[in-house]
């Protein structure tokens, strides 16, 4: 047995309010748009689809909640209010928060229950990394990071780093290095 703790309820309440605010602005106006989703938005969504799908199959619901919070933060940073992203989010949330999901699903214009909607399909292509953020060091101290496409040669990386304005003030130093690692 475990003692009842209301802190958990407060956290859930804050999360659901944050989720609700993705659909409404501060003035109470509906903000969902039919714009095409950006690659970063699709990446956040499809990482979540993959995680929630796997977690539901493995009965690991706590890690799904954590993944929801991470995705929601990413999407809010991107100021996402696009139907292409929000509709699948509502479907993903429905097993965890059915009442708010049903309300939002209805407001999105659907007449059937969200429980009858198909689980969103994970598309791996949206989550593939195509750039890498290289740490650039001068005299053994990391000075800045430079994001470059994957697959370019070491010479191209070095040329891009040396051409960066942030490198110009450190370029006169004798020892220049950058680390070529991929995560």
């Amino acid at each position: 047995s475990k003692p009842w703790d209301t802190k958990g309820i407060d956290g859930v309440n804050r999360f659901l309010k944050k989720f609700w605010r993705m659909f409404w602005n501060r003035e109470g106006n509906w903000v969902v748009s039919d714009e095409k989703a950006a690659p970063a938005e699709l990446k956040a969504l499809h990482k979540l689809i993959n995680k929630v799908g796997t977690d539901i199959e493995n009965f690991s619901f706590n890690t799904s909640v954590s993944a929801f919070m991470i995705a929601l933060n990413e999407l809010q940073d991107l100021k996402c209010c696009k139907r292409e992203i929000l509709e699948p989010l509502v479907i993903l949330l429905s097993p965890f928060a059915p009442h708010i999901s049903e309300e939002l699903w209805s407001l999105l214009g659907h007449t059937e229950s969200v429980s009858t909607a198909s689980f969103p399909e994970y598309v791996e292509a949206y989550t593939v990394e195509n750039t890498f953020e290289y740490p650039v060091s001068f005299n053994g101290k990391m000075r800045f990071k430079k994001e470059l496409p994957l697959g370019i040669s070491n010479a191209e990386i070095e040329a891009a780093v040396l051409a960066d304005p942030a490198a110009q003030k450190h370029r006169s130093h004798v020892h220049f290095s950058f680390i070529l690692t991929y995560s």
Side-chain angles (χ1 to χ4, degrees):
S1 86
K2 187 174 179 184
W4 180 259
D5 187 3
T6 59
K7 290 178 188 169
I9 294 173
D10 293 338
V12 170
N13 184 42
R14 281 192 310 275
F15 169 76
L16 292 175
K17 282 183 178 180
K18 193 175 196 179
F19 189 79
W20 185 264
R21 285 191 304 267
M22 293 197 64
F23 298 81
W24 304 89
N25 65 15
R26 294 185 191 271
E27 293 78 37
N29 298 320
W30 184 253
V31 294
V32 177
S33 74
D34 290 324
E35 292 177 56
K36 184 89 173 114
E41 296 165 337
L42 289 167
K43 181 178 181 179
L45 172 65
H46 284 271
K47 283 188 333 190
L48 181 63
I49 291 169
N50 186 36
K51 179 69 174 147
V52 170
T54 302
D55 286 351
I56 287 173
E57 288 174 6
N58 295 323
F59 299 102
S60 301
F61 305 118
N62 286 344
T63 55
S64 285
V65 172
S66 172
F68 267 110
M69 292 178 182
I70 291 166
L72 198 59
N73 288 336
E74 288 176 6
L75 292 169
Q76 280 194 320
D77 289 345
L78 296 168
K79 298 184 181 0
C80 178
C81 58
K82 297 172 181 143
R83 180 179 298 274
E84 183 179 359
I85 301 298
L86 296 178
E87 280 189 349
L89 278 179
V90 170
I91 296 168
L92 290 172
L93 186 65
S94 66
F96 303 93
H99 298 94
I100 192 171
S101 298
E102 284 293 345
E103 180 67 19
L104 289 169
W105 192 247
S106 173
L107 291 168
L108 284 164
H110 298 280
T111 56
E112 299 283 324
S113 170
V114 69
S115 65
T116 63
S118 298
F119 193 83
E121 188 175 325
Y122 169 64
V123 178
E124 186 179 5
Y126 290 132
T127 61
V128 173
E129 297 289 335
N130 52 9
T131 62
F132 182 77
E133 191 172 51
Y134 293 91
V136 181
S137 299
F138 288 91
N139 291 331
K141 185 173 181 185
M142 204 275 287
R143 303 295 179 166
F144 66 95
K145 293 181 179 183
K146 178 84 175 166
E147 190 167 327
L148 296 168
L150 290 175
I152 63 174
S153 71
N154 288 353
E156 291 171 310
I157 295 169
E158 187 172 348
V161 167
L162 292 174
D164 192 291
Q168 299 305 315
K169 60 183 171 185
H170 300 289
R171 193 168 181 192
S172 62
H173 296 293
V174 178
H175 181 63
F176 161 75
S177 69
F178 57 95
I179 302 168
L180 294 177
T181 58
Y182 301 95
S183 55

